[in-house]
């Protein structure tokens, strides 16, 4: 697993934990650092902070293009993965869009429902197609 793939998985863990515990993702990240005295990959921090900074816009986009699904109805893991993937597609020019989609699909394949990979692939693929208009 690449360093960035590990960073994405850690960011997912932080975002998921924050949502479950109803705390800020930044607080969850800080607690994780302090509890295990581990060095957190800088890209994990970039992802968590980026998703947090753009969460309202990301949720609006995901809610608009998730056919038949509201954000509240999605599995929590899928919702967090979609936020990470959408943030990478829309706001991180360092990561090719196809890589962001593939990494998101890989995460839900390992951690979510059997239907999640197809759903995540379809929704992020649609966001990738609409990227020029979403950022206009």
């Amino acid at each position: 697993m690449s360093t960035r793939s590990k960073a994405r998985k850690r960011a997912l863990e932080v975002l998921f934990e924050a949502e479950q515990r109803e705390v800020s993702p930044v607080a969850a990240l800080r607690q994780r650092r302090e509890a295990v005295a581990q060095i957190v990959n800088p890209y994990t921090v970039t992802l968590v902070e980026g998703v947090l900074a753009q969460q309202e816009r990301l949720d609006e986009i995901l809610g608009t293009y998730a056919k038949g699904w509201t954000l509240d109805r999605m599995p929590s893991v899928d919702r967090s993965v979609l936020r990470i993937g959408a943030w990478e597609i829309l706001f991180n020019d360092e990561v090719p869009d196809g890589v962001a989609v593939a990494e998101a699909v890989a995460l839900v394949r390992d951690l979510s429902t059997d239907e999640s990979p197809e759903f995540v692939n379809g929704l992020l693929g649609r966001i990738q197609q609409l990227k020029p208009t979403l950022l206009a």
Side-chain angles (χ1 to χ4, degrees), residues 83-102:
R83 287 173 178 150
I84 291 168
W87 182 84
E88 284 190 307
I89 291 167
L90 298 171
F91 301 106
N92 187 352
D93 294 334
E94 294 177 15
V95 176
D97 295 348
V99 171
V101 174

Side-chain angles (χ1 to χ4, degrees), residues 47-69:
L47 287 169
V48 170
E49 290 177 347
V51 167
L52 184 60
Q54 297 293 335
Q55 187 168 335
E56 188 173 316
R57 179 79 173 116
L58 294 170
D59 287 356
E60 174 189 321
I61 291 167
L62 292 169
T64 298
Y65 296 102
K67 294 181 180 171
W69 286 85

Side-chain angles (χ1 to χ4, degrees), residues 4 6-7 14-16 24 48 51 71 74 79 110 112 133:
R4 282 226 167 151
K6 289 177 187 172
V14 169
L15 293 170
F16 179 82
S24 156
V48 170
V51 167
L71 282 172
M74 292 176 195
R79 190 171 40 248
D110 290 343
S112 196
T133 58

Side-chain angles (χ1 to χ4, degrees), residues 1 8 12 41 45 48 57 65 67 98-99 119 124 135:
M1 182 181 278
R8 285 180 188 92
L12 169 61
N41 181 310
V45 176
V48 170
R57 179 79 173 116
Y65 296 102
K67 294 181 180 171
V99 171
F119 176 71
L124 291 179
L135 294 177

Side-chain angles (χ1 to χ4, degrees), residues 19-86:
E19 187 172 307
Q20 296 305 305
R21 294 178 51 223
E22 298 179 349
V23 299
S24 156
V26 173
L29 186 60
R30 188 179 324 105
Q31 287 175 331
R32 181 174 283 250
R33 278 183 178 158
E34 292 168 359
V36 292
Q38 73 180 14
I39 297 172
V40 176
N41 181 310
Y43 194 60
T44 298
V45 176
T46 297
L47 287 169
V48 170
E49 290 177 347
V51 167
L52 184 60
Q54 297 293 335
Q55 187 168 335
E56 188 173 316
R57 179 79 173 116
L58 294 170
D59 287 356
E60 174 189 321
I61 291 167
L62 292 169
T64 298
Y65 296 102
K67 294 181 180 171
W69 286 85
T70 63
L71 282 172
D72 291 339
R73 209 173 134 223
M74 292 176 195
S76 185
V77 169
D78 294 6
R79 190 171 40 248
S80 294
V81 167
L82 284 164
R83 287 173 178 150
I84 291 168

